[in-house]
């Protein structure tokens, strides 16, 4: 119970550490972002709890646009942890011109239910904005990368090795469009293809409630073409969260 309360306190506090502001606009705001939070609690015949938090910051420094992302997911069913995932990502984009840029990023993810203690990915390459208007955007990124995964003790004993690494081809496709003045649709696909394929797809719909507060519905699919023994290739996560833009 103490562990649950501590996790809840940390998760709930983080998104609201930011202060209010405006949506990030290229060349206009130097720092902006969004925070989102979702939670479910049930008691009685079934005791369950789930928390989802995400904090994303964008920063403009001259020709550089930087993005910092933290995501946390925690689920517990009758005092048994059924899901736990933490993700930290940093990316820097150097603007060549209005439609082209160079990028470099590094990500760190902890998800013990995959059989790995952690996964670290680093990549760099070229990005291009095919569409960039007030209502719609489409951009793609591609370049080489490197992925390193540390197996947990149980998986290491079963597989006969304790780590896995590979040079990968990294690709991203990110599409966003405004359905109306108060709603937005986004589809983002990320893939790292080396000795195996690791991919992530996020489909989301965001609708404003009032001011900078919005409701977000998202479906996230993670795919690993060669999962560890007794693990599934595909993980699906469906979230309904409150989002605050600043």
């Amino acid at each position: 119970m103490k562990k649950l309360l501590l996790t809840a306190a940390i998760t709930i506090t983080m998104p609201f550490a930011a202060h209010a502001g405006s949506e990030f606009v290229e060349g206009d705001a130097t720092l902006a972002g969004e925070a989102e939070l979702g939670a479910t609690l049930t008691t009685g015949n079934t005791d369950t709890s789930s928390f989802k938090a995400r904090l994303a910051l964008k920063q403009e420094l001259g020709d550089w646009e930087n993005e910092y992302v933290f995501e946390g997911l925690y689920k517990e069913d009758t005092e048994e942890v059924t899901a736990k995932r933490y993700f930290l990502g940093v990316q820097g984009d150097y603007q060549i011109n209005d439609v082209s840029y160079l990028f470099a990023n590094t990500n760190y993810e902890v998800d013990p239910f995959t059989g790995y203690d952690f996964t670290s990915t680093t990549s760099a390459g070229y990005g291009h904005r095919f569409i960039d208007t007030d209502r719609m955007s489409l951009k793609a990124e591609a370049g080489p990368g490197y992925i390193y995964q540390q197996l947990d003790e149980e998986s290491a004993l079963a597989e006969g090795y304790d780590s896995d690494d590979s040079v990968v081809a990294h690709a991203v496709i990110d599409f966003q469009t405004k359905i109306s003045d108060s709603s937005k649709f986004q589809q983002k696909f990320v893939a790292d293809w080396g000795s195996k394929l690791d991919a992530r797809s996020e489909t989301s719909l965001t609708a404003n409630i009032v001011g900078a507060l919005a409701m977000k519905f998202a479906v996230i699919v993670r795919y690993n073409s060669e999962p560890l023994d007794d693990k599934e290739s595909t993980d699906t996560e469906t979230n309904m969260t409150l989002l605050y833009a600043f």
Side-chain angles (χ1 to χ4, degrees):
M1 186 65 180
K2 290 182 179 179
K3 181 179 178 182
L4 174 59
L5 292 174
L6 177 60
T7 304
I10 294 174
T11 308
I12 293 173
T13 302
M14 286 187 59
F16 295 99
H19 58 274
S22 59
E23 184 178 355
F24 179 82
V25 179
E26 182 182 350
D28 180 51
T30 58
L31 180 66
E34 59 187 27
E36 61 180 276
L37 173 67
T40 302
L41 296 171
T42 63
T43 59
N45 293 321
T46 303
D47 292 329
T48 63
S49 59
S50 65
F51 301 92
K52 170 67 183 286
R54 180 176 182 270
L55 177 63
L57 298 174
K58 287 187 177 181
Q59 179 185 38
E60 185 176 288
L61 296 172
D63 292 328
W64 285 92
E65 288 183 10
N66 304 320
E67 184 172 8
Y68 315 92
V69 178
F70 173 82
E71 294 180 1
L73 173 69
Y74 182 87
K75 293 183 179 181
E76 188 173 293
D77 188 353
T78 316
E79 298 187 356
E80 180 183 354
V81 179
T82 57
K84 183 169 62 175
R85 181 183 296 114
Y86 305 105
F87 174 87
L88 178 64
V90 179
Q91 176 160 327
D93 298 337
Y94 179 77
Q95 308 303 310
I96 301 173
N97 51 45
D98 290 341
V99 297
S100 301
Y101 59 95
L102 300 176
F103 74 87
N105 65 42
T106 184
N107 302 320
Y108 183 84
E109 184 176 54
V110 175
D111 186 352
F113 288 87
T114 61
Y116 295 101
D117 278 337
F118 68 87
T119 298
S120 178
T121 308
T122 301
S123 60
Y126 172 78
H128 188 84
R129 297 183 179 88
F130 295 94
I131 304 174
D132 190 11
T133 67
D134 291 340
R135 299 196 66 84
M136 184 180 297
S137 68
L138 172 63
K139 67 179 182 180
E141 300 172 355
Y146 174 77
I147 185 170
Y148 177 85
Q149 296 177 299
Q150 179 70 48
L151 280 69
D152 62 28
E153 185 175 348
E154 182 180 347
S155 297
L157 289 174
E159 299 291 335
Y161 59 92
D162 59 7
S163 65
D164 185 21
D165 66 320
S166 174
V167 174
V168 298
H170 176 78
V172 177
I173 298 175
D174 188 354
F175 172 74
Q176 300 183 45
T177 184
K178 286 186 177 181
I179 300 174
S180 67
D181 291 338
S182 60
S183 61
K184 180 181 72 173
F185 171 83
Q186 180 176 10
Q187 174 63 59
K188 186 174 184 179
F189 179 76
V190 182
D192 291 295
W193 185 24
S195 59
K196 59 182 177 180
L197 174 63
D198 286 283
R200 180 179 185 269
S201 170
E202 179 172 349
T203 306
S204 65
L205 180 64
T206 305
N208 277 60
I209 299 174
V210 59
L213 187 65
M215 181 70 74
K216 180 179 178 180
F217 174 77
V219 177
I220 302 171
V221 180
R222 294 176 175 84
Y223 176 76
N224 181 348
S225 64
E226 297 182 18
L228 297 177
D229 191 29
D230 297 329
K231 304 299 181 183
E232 298 290 337
S233 293
T234 305
D235 283 330
T236 303
E237 177 186 329
T238 303
N239 297 308
M240 182 75 77
T241 56
L242 285 174
L243 185 147
Y244 182 71
F246 57 90

